[in-house]
């Protein structure tokens, strides 16, 4: 089957629309509508998903080594995750660590490409899919 130029253009346009749609699916988190997510917007939107509690199996409001090892190893080594040194990873640390994971260019905001990484991790087979 050979596609005409118009058919190829339709496929490319559809693929582009899907990728942009996916990357901006968290647009409701963008409270100031600037097209990116600052740390506060990320924490507020991501926190509403309640992903922290899905990893906090014992309900202690801190992730221990065993809970971390159930799927968060890609974020970093547990020994480096306890930012305040209290012996566990609380929700504020969890959110900060994830924001930093996505802010690949260190700009302090998540652009559309970085938001697409959030989407991938939240997808059915992603790092945060629970």
């Amino acid at each position: 089957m050979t596609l005409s130029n118009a058919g190829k253009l339709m496929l490319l346009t559809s693929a582009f629309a899907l990728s942009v749609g996916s990357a901006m699916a968290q647009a409701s988190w963008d409270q100031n509508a600037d097209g990116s997510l600052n740390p506060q917007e990320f924490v507020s939107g991501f926190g509403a998903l309640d992903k922290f509690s899905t990893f906090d199996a014992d309900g202690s409001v801190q992730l221990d080594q065993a809970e971390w090892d159930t799927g968060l190893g890609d974020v970093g080594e547990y020994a480096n995750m306890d930012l305040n040194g209290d012996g566990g990873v609380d929700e504020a640390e969890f959110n900060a660590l994830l924001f930093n994971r996505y802010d690949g260019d260190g700009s302090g905001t998540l652009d559309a490409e970085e938001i697409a990484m959030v989407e991938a991790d939240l997808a059915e087979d992603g790092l945060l899919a629970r």
Side-chain angles (χ1 to χ4, degrees):
M1 177 173 135
T2 305
L3 288 176
S4 67
N5 284 343
K8 289 177 188 175
L9 181 59
M10 278 182 38
L11 283 176
L12 284 173
T13 303
S14 297
F16 178 75
L18 283 173
S19 73
V20 169
S22 174
M24 294 311 296
Q26 302 307 333
S28 64
W29 296 2
D30 185 12
Q31 297 300 306
N32 62 7
D34 67 353
S36 64
L37 298 177
N38 64 43
Q40 295 79 19
E41 291 168 330
F42 175 81
V43 168
S44 177
F46 186 79
L49 298 176
D50 199 27
K51 290 295 179 183
F52 179 81
S53 70
T54 65
F55 290 96
D56 184 20
D58 64 6
S60 68
V61 297
Q62 286 203 353
L63 303 180
D64 60 27
Q65 177 79 51
E67 291 166 328
W68 189 265
D69 290 343
T70 63
L72 294 171
D74 287 347
V75 176
E77 291 184 41
Y78 180 78
N80 301 323
M81 301 300 118
D82 182 12
L83 302 176
N84 64 8
D86 67 356
V89 177
D90 63 27
E91 189 167 6
E93 291 166 321
F94 178 76
N95 290 335
L97 294 164
L98 285 175
F99 181 85
N100 290 335
R101 168 186 164 80
Y102 300 122
D103 186 18
D105 62 6
S107 67
T109 61
L110 304 182
D111 60 29
E113 193 173 303
E114 293 163 333
I115 293 169
M117 290 173 42
V118 175
E119 290 290 325
D121 279 353
L122 291 171
E124 187 174 319
D125 59 348
L127 172 72
L128 302 170
R130 283 191 169 205

